[in-house]
């Protein structure tokens, strides 16, 4: 088609158009027409892909081959979930003794598979690390009568099946829950804590009232719709089924600039290179599923509006309380400041809701680790390749270290090796560090809590119950009487989101010419240069449209927030629903049950009697934990060397024994620090002076893994050296003299080195800065070899 267009001679164009504006306009017009044809053809392919996907019995977007291991429809309480084993791709070897990984996909309107969407995904990272991987997905339609409790029980059954399939692995499965799957696996872990290994919840909301004013507009949705009665109405219009497209529509409304313009313009502007990526994502984004009416009502009433999960107010139908404090596995919370669906306060607010302070977390023997990304969006948390290669890869590589961390609250940060002075000590391109945190610091840096907002959300919960009762009394019987299954299916088919896919597909007769026109364009494509004047103007106009939609979104969100705060902040309204008075507490922290308090007291008494029990292994571990407890950060290097040292000291011990030893010695130090340290010489009783000296060398080796010790840690280590010296004094006299001399020499060398380093620093500070030669500067830079990091010391690739 384009070859038939006559092209004027270049000389004539230069004479008639000396500034080239006319030529630039013609080139832009031709390119714009061609891009329009290709864009419409991509949309046609999107529609065909959508129709093909939804017509499958078990649609998913997994990028890996899988086989069904367990079908949830065969359980005593059937659910539309299934457990699949991921088959490793060619060239990937799996170690059957490694800890199994289980990824649970969110059921929030879209179909399953997002956790294994592409090679750089949560599943892909775990496979490359050699872990057996499993995937818990779901089918498009729920089983009749299926409830949230049934889904939770099914996930517990799936995990027990995974444990049975890997008897050679002594570690419990690591479970990854994305978005809505996060609160499901936390509920399951609180009911059956013994079935779970470490838990990673990515972008998962657990505390729904939490949030910062000016952000997180989704938390106001329940109040602006008058409660959950509209959820019941939508289920009644669906004949007992809730259309997941409604949830997707809510997500899209959060960012109108991306939904209505940016996403489509990005495809149009780069249609030659963007089509494949766009179609792959749309295959998941358009794979809408259906939820049971009873399921979504439970979720909206108890979680979104009632906020009962993070305050231990949920009770199962058989009388078991769902208390997240029962979780015994380490919990890793991954969230992002750029996430407007699950902002950090909603992902981390449950910690504040359940615990008074760090001592409370430790008393419950819980390890909570959180990582806050700076900018990635909600989907980027578990879809972005850059996030998978960095954060998820580090979580996977350090899962054993996370599993052995003493109870407490920790913040993690991922730093690049290129940004560190000790890059030659690192084994990978990134390092995951752990910093102890307090509840007060979490409130200050992340949660931004306001007590008066709790009263407003509690008012919404009461009004929701009233409106739901009125709807069920007056309107529900009439709607259920007139709705039929055929009418419900027609309503789902005519949903605007679904209709947009169907109208631009081969089933629309008007789209017949599109593939022919697109082939003509591809055969003689005329892309223009990015410097074209009119292409630049196009980008400018696009940017202005996007900024305009963002401005409208900000005005809309501010108006909604102000209306919510004004309406539900009225004292008269709060009093009318029974929430008046300043003394009323609306977010009650659940108290500790008497049984749990007695358990903690028995545990403390047991540890008190174990202070002086044990031997050299307990002494070494106690010493290392004490010294590292004085450091503001710790990382994987200490763990690896400590684990290697224990393997040398006690080759027959397992990783589980090692973890038990670490946790027990931590608790002993936490509860009885002075007595535990004073008992170290007694723990080394019977050991030779040479053996004690070797133990101290092991400790030196472990502590040197992360570079220089802090001043506080150095003082603690001096105390440990003195305790080991006391143990040496009790050894054989001849060995004792030699060991004490060696220990004295080591201390003297350390002191002299410290003095020399301090003198050198003072000299450098006093002297004028000397300019380095180019050769010297180059010599001190870390060398790179084919993209691999090269050690400064050996010159070999790490």
């Amino acid at each position: 088609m384009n070859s038939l267009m006559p092209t004027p001679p270049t000389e004539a164009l230069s004479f008639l158009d000396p500034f080239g504006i006319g030529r630039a306009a013609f080139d832009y017009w031709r390119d714009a027409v061609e891009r329009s044809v290709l864009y419409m053809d991509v949309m046609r392919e999107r529609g065909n892909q959508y129709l093909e996907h939804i017509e499958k019995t078990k649609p998913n977007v997994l990028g890996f081959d899988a086989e069904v291991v367990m079908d949830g429809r065969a359980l005593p309480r059937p659910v539309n979930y299934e457990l699949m084993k991921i088959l490793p791709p060619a060239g990937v070897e799996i170690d059957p003794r490694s800890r199994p990984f289980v990824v649970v996909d969110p059921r929030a309107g879209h179909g399953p598979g997002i956790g294994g969407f592409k090679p750089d995904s949560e599943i892909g990272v775990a496979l490359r690390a050699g872990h057996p991987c499993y995937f818990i997905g779901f089918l498009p339609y729920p089983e009749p009568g299926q409830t949230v409790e049934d889904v939770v029980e099914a996930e517990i059954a799936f995990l027990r099946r995974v444990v049975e399939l890997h008897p050679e692995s002594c570690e419990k499965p690591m479970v990854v829950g994305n978005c809505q799957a996060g609160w499901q696996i936390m509920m399951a872990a609180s009911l059956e804590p013994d079935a779970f290994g470490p838990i990673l919840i990515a972008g998962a909301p657990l505390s729904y009232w939490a949030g910062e004013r000016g952000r997180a507009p989704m938390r106001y949705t329940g109040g602006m719709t008058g409660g959950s009665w509209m959820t019941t109405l939508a289920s009644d219009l669906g004949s007992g089924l809730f259309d997941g497209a409604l949830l997707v529509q809510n997500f899209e409304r959060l960012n109108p600039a991306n939904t209505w313009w940016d996403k489509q313009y990005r495809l149009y502007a780069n249609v030659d290179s963007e089509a494949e990526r766009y179609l792959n994502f749309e295959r998941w984004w358009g794979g809408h599923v259906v939820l049971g009416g009873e399921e979504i009502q439970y979720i909206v009433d108890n979680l979104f509006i009632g906020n009962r999960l993070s305050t231990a107010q949920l009770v199962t139908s058989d009388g078991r309380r769902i208390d997240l404090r029962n979780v015994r596995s380490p919990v890793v919370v991954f969230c992002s400041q750029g996430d407007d669906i699950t902002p950090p306060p909603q992902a981390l607010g449950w910690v504040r809701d359940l615990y008074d302070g760090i001592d409370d977390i430790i008393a419950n023997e819980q390890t909570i680790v959180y990582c806050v990304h700076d900018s990635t969006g909600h989907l980027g948390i578990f879809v972005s390749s850059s996030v998978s290669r960095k954060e998820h890869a580090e979580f996977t590589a350090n899962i054993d270290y996370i599993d052995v961390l003493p109870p407490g609250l920790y913040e993690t940060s991922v730093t690049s090796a290129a940004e560190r002075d000790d890059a030659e000590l690192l084994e990978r391109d990134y390092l995951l560090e752990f910093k102890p945190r307090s509840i007060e610091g979490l409130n200050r840096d992340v949660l931004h809590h306001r007590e008066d907002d709790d009263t407003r959300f509690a008012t919404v919960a009461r009004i929701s119950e009233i409106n739901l009762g009125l709807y069920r009394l007056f309107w529900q019987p009439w709607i259920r009487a007139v709705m039929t299954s055929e009418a419900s299916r027609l309503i789902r088919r005519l949903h605007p989101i679904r209709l947009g896919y169907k109208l631009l597909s081969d089933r629309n007769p008007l789209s017949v010419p599109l593939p022919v026109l697109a082939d003509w364009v591809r055969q003689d494509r005329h892309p223009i240069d990015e410097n074209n004047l009119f292409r630049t103007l196009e980008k400018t106009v696009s940017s202005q449209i996007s900024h305009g939609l963002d401005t409208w979104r900000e005005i809309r969100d501010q108006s909604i927030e102000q209306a919510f705060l004004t309406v539900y902040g009225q004292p008269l309204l709060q009093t009318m629903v029974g929430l008046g008075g300043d003394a009323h507490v609306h977010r009650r922290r659940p108290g500790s049950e008497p049984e749990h308090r007695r358990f903690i007291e028995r545990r403390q008494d047991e540890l008190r009697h174990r202070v002086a029990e044990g031997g050299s292994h307990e002494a070494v571990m106690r010493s290392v934990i004490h010294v590292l407890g004085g450091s503001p950060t710790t990382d994987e290097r200490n763990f690896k060397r400590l684990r290697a040292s224990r393997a040398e000291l006690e080759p027959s011990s397992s990783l589980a024994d090692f973890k038990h030893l670490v946790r027990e010695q931590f608790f002993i130090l936490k509860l009885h620090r002075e007595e535990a340290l004073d008992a170290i010489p007694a723990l080394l009783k019977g050991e030779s002076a040479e053996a004690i000296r070797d133990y101290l060398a092991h400790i030196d080796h472990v502590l040197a893994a992360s570079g220089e010790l802090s001043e506080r840690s150095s003082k603690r280590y001096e105390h440990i050296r003195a305790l080991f010296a006391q143990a040496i004094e009790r050894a054989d006299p001849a060995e004792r003299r030699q060991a004490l001399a060696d220990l004295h020499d080591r201390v003297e060398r350390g002191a002299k080195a410290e003095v020399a380093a301090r003198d050198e620093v003072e000299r450098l500070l006093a002297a004028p800065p000397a300019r380095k030669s180019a050769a010297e500067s180059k010599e001190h830079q870390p060398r790179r070899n084919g993209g691999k990091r090269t050690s400064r010391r050996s010159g070999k690739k790490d």
Side-chain angles (χ1 to χ4, degrees):
M1 178 181 71
N2 294 290
S3 61
L4 299 179
M5 295 180 182
T7 303
T10 305
E11 295 80 4
L13 287 175
S14 300
F15 177 75
L16 298 174
D17 185 21
F19 297 103
I21 296 178
R23 181 65 181 179
F26 173 79
D27 290 343
Y28 173 77
W29 171 81
R30 181 174 56 186
D31 174 69
V33 171
E34 292 176 353
R35 281 188 288 151
S36 298
V37 172
L38 296 177
Y39 171 83
M40 293 303 297
D41 188 58
V42 172
M43 301 304 287
R44 178 190 63 84
E45 292 182 35
R46 184 189 75 153
N48 293 339
Q49 176 181 270
Y50 166 79
L51 293 172
E52 179 185 355
H53 183 76
I54 65 172
E55 289 172 358
K56 293 180 179 179
T57 305
K58 297 181 179 181
N60 68 65
V61 294
L62 276 176
F64 302 90
D65 294 331
E67 60 183 17
V68 177
V69 175
M70 193 172 179
D71 193 333
R73 293 174 294 180
L75 293 173
R77 297 166 68 177
V79 295
N80 66 329
Y81 281 71
E82 56 186 10
L83 173 66
M84 292 183 283
K85 181 179 181 180
I86 303 297
L87 304 178
V92 176
E93 296 184 1
I94 300 300
D95 184 0
R97 297 170 299 177
S98 295
R99 181 197 301 273
F101 265 58
V102 181
V103 176
V104 187
D105 243 24
R107 186 159 157 252
H110 302 97
I114 195 64
F117 183 52
K118 45 192 173 182
D120 287 326
S121 62
E122 295 162 336
I123 291 178
V125 168
L127 285 173
R128 288 195 296 272
H131 295 275
C133 289
Y134 294 84
F135 178 78
I136 297 179
F138 46 87
L139 304 178
Y141 291 89
E143 290 295 297
Q146 175 178 314
T147 66
V148 171
E149 289 184 23
D150 296 338
V151 173
V152 170
E153 293 294 341
E155 291 173 348
I156 294 173
F158 290 159
L159 284 178
R160 295 198 182 281
R161 178 60 175 160
V162 171
V163 173
E164 293 174 1
L165 293 174
H166 294 273
E168 64 275 22
S169 175
C170 61
E171 301 296 333
K172 296 177 183 177
M174 176 179 179
V175 186
V176 180
N178 295 319
C179 190
Q180 299 294 334
W183 57 259
Q184 286 183 356
I185 64 172
M186 288 294 284
M187 289 173 64
S190 68
L191 293 174
E192 295 289 340
D194 295 337
F196 287 76
I199 298 171
L200 169 61
I201 50 178
L206 294 177
S207 183
Y208 298 86
W209 292 0
E212 182 181 359
R213 288 191 182 180
R215 304 178 64 181
M218 277 198 75
R219 66 182 184 142
Y220 302 123
T221 303
M224 301 311 296
T225 58
S228 67
W229 71 273
M230 292 192 68
T231 304
T232 309
L233 172 62
S235 300
D236 291 339
L237 292 175
S239 297
L241 297 177
F242 183 88
D243 190 359
L246 296 172
L247 297 177
V248 178
Q249 193 174 49
N250 287 337
F251 297 155
E252 291 186 338
R253 286 172 179 165
L254 284 176
N255 192 349
N258 182 70
T259 300
W260 298 341
W261 184 259
D262 291 345
K263 183 170 65 171
Q264 307 304 329
Y265 175 73
R266 191 180 304 116
L267 171 64
Y268 171 74
N270 307 281
V271 69
D272 299 296
S273 59
E274 189 75 5
E276 182 179 359
R277 187 208 62 81
Y278 179 86
L279 289 174
N280 284 337
F281 179 77
E282 286 294 312
R283 189 161 61 97
W284 174 74
W285 189 254
H288 309 125
V289 297
V290 175
L291 291 80
E294 188 175 349
E295 287 181 284
I296 190 65
Q297 195 66 40
Y298 179 97
I299 294 170
V300 173
D301 284 338
N302 293 297
L303 305 182
F304 295 169
I305 295 179
N307 194 43
R308 296 187 176 100
L309 176 60
S310 68
T311 51
Q313 297 180 62
L314 288 178
V315 180
T316 63
S317 56
D318 57 357
R320 292 177 294 168
R321 182 172 296 278
I322 299 176
D323 189 342
L324 299 184
R325 294 173 299 178
N326 293 335
V327 178
R328 289 293 168 262
S329 305
V331 179
V332 181
V333 181
F334 185 30
C335 53
S336 173
Q337 295 287 2
D339 186 353
D340 54 359
I341 294 177
T342 306
Q346 291 190 6
L348 290 165
W350 62 280
V351 180
R352 178 196 58 216
D353 292 345
L354 290 174
Y355 300 107
D356 287 319
I358 295 301
D359 290 339
D360 201 9
I361 295 178
I362 294 174
N364 282 273
E365 300 187 18
Q366 276 205 327
T367 301
I368 303 171
V369 179
Y370 70 92
C371 179
V372 182
H373 196 278
D374 293 332
S375 58
T376 191
H378 182 70
L379 294 179
I381 292 176
F382 39 87
V383 173
S384 172
S385 297
S386 61
V387 171
S388 293
R389 288 192 296 265
K390 186 179 178 182
E391 279 83 4
H392 283 292
E394 288 302 308
F395 292 146
T396 302
N398 289 276
I399 195 58
D400 283 333
Y401 184 31
I402 294 173
D403 202 9
V404 81
L405 274 175
L409 179 66
Y410 302 87
E411 181 183 8
T412 67
S413 59
V414 182
T415 57
S416 172
E419 302 173 358
R420 299 182 62 90
D421 296 332
D422 56 352
E424 70 276 3
L425 299 177
L426 307 183
E427 298 180 1
R428 296 187 307 279
D429 293 332
Y430 297 97
L431 180 69
L432 190 66
E433 295 183 298
F434 299 83
K435 301 178 181 179
R437 287 290 185 254
S438 64
I439 300 294
E440 294 75 19
L442 185 68
N443 286 332
R444 181 180 62 252
D445 299 336
V446 178
L447 298 183
H448 310 288
H449 180 58
R450 292 179 64 99
E451 294 290 346
D452 54 342
D453 284 353
D454 287 349
T455 307
R456 291 179 169 89
F457 285 107
T459 304
V460 172
R462 293 285 179 88
I463 291 178
S464 176
E465 294 174 357
I466 295 171
N467 288 342
L468 180 59
L470 293 174
Y471 168 79
R472 285 175 171 168
L473 177 63
F474 292 108
W475 292 104
Q476 189 176 61
W478 295 98
I479 293 176
R480 288 186 173 183
V482 300
M483 287 304 301
T484 64
S485 58
E486 286 299 326
S488 299
R489 279 194 291 269
L490 181 61
I491 292 175
R492 284 195 292 271
R493 290 172 184 171
L494 294 179
H495 191 281
I497 292 182
R498 285 193 170 92
L499 206 58
Y501 286 93
K502 293 178 181 178
L503 290 178
L504 292 174
S505 69
D506 285 342
R507 296 186 185 181
N508 186 346
L510 297 178
S511 66
V512 172
L514 278 177
V516 179
L517 292 173
D519 286 340
W520 283 355
V521 170
R522 292 189 185 98
Q523 291 172 11
D524 192 20
R525 178 80 169 93
H526 299 86
I528 60 173
D529 189 84
E530 293 295 323
N531 296 324
N532 183 285
L533 172 62
F534 295 94
R535 183 64 184 270
T536 303
L537 290 175
E538 175 194 294
K539 293 181 180 179
T540 302
V541 172
S542 172
S543 177
Q544 291 300 317
I545 293 174
S546 180
H547 286 313
L549 290 172
D550 282 337
T551 301
W552 176 79
R553 172 182 55 82
E554 292 175 1
I555 295 174
R556 179 200 65 184
D557 292 346
Q558 291 175 4
S559 301
I560 290 175
E561 180 178 75
Q562 191 60 45
F564 178 92
L565 297 176
T566 301
V567 171
Y568 293 101
Q570 294 295 325
L572 177 60
L573 179 62
Q574 295 173 0
T575 302
M576 290 177 63
V577 297
L579 297 178
D582 297 335
H584 195 88
V585 179
H586 309 305
R587 187 198 293 257
R588 296 183 183 276
R589 181 174 288 109
S592 179
E593 297 179 353
E595 295 82 2
H596 185 68
R597 290 197 298 268
R598 285 194 294 270
F599 166 77
I600 293 176
E601 292 172 357
R602 287 196 302 269
R603 177 67 170 157
Q604 292 176 349
D605 186 64
E606 175 187 347
L607 291 175
R608 186 180 298 109
H609 289 87
R610 293 183 60 83
V611 168
E613 293 182 3
S616 57
H617 306 313
E618 285 74 11
V620 171
M621 186 63 67
R622 193 175 296 180
S623 301
V624 172
I625 293 174
H626 174 64
V627 175
L628 293 179
S631 175
T633 63
T634 182
D635 58 62
E636 61 188 276
R637 294 171 293 181
N638 299 119
F639 167 72
K640 289 182 177 179
R641 288 198 175 180
L642 187 61
R643 182 178 173 185
S645 298
R646 176 165 172 81
E648 295 173 5
L649 297 173
E650 192 176 0
S652 61
S653 65
S654 64
L655 180 59
D657 295 334
F658 170 69
K659 293 177 179 179
H660 175 74
L661 177 64
V662 171
R663 285 181 170 263
E664 184 175 73
Q665 294 307 311
F666 168 81
F667 276 116
I668 290 176
L669 279 168
K670 178 68 179 177
L671 297 173
H672 315 286
R673 181 178 300 274
E674 297 302 326
E675 297 89 334
L677 294 176
D678 293 341
I680 287 179
L683 295 177
L684 295 171
K685 184 178 181 180
E687 299 284 347
S688 66
E690 182 179 359
I692 297 174
R693 191 168 58 248
D694 289 340
Y695 297 144
L696 197 58
H698 277 298
I699 298 175
D700 285 336
H701 185 61
V702 171
L703 299 179
S706 53
E708 296 294 329
L709 294 176
S710 65
E711 181 179 357
R712 185 181 179 188
S713 296
S714 298
K715 291 181 179 179
R716 290 190 173 195
Y717 194 26
E718 290 298 327
H719 186 198
I720 293 297
R721 287 196 183 103
L723 294 172
F724 272 69
Q726 294 179 23
I728 291 175
E729 289 179 355
R730 302 176 183 177
D732 180 76
E735 291 185 345
R736 181 181 64 195
R737 286 192 297 271
Q738 181 62 38
L740 286 174
D742 292 343
L743 181 60
H744 178 74
D745 291 342
R746 185 183 297 115
V747 173
E748 285 293 325
R749 287 196 300 270
K752 290 179 180 178
E754 184 177 352
V755 171
R758 185 167 59 249
D759 292 343
E760 179 66 13
V761 170
E762 292 176 355
R763 185 185 67 79
L764 291 175
L765 291 175
R771 179 175 299 176
K772 293 184 178 180
S773 65
E776 290 173 333
S777 300
K778 184 176 181 181
E779 179 182 358
H780 289 281
Q781 292 177 354
R783 296 189 295 273
R784 299 282 171 175
N785 187 2
K788 302 287 186 178
R789 188 173 59 257
T790 305
S791 174
R792 303 176 192 166
R793 296 179 178 176
S794 63
K796 296 180 181 181
K797 296 179 183 177
D798 291 341

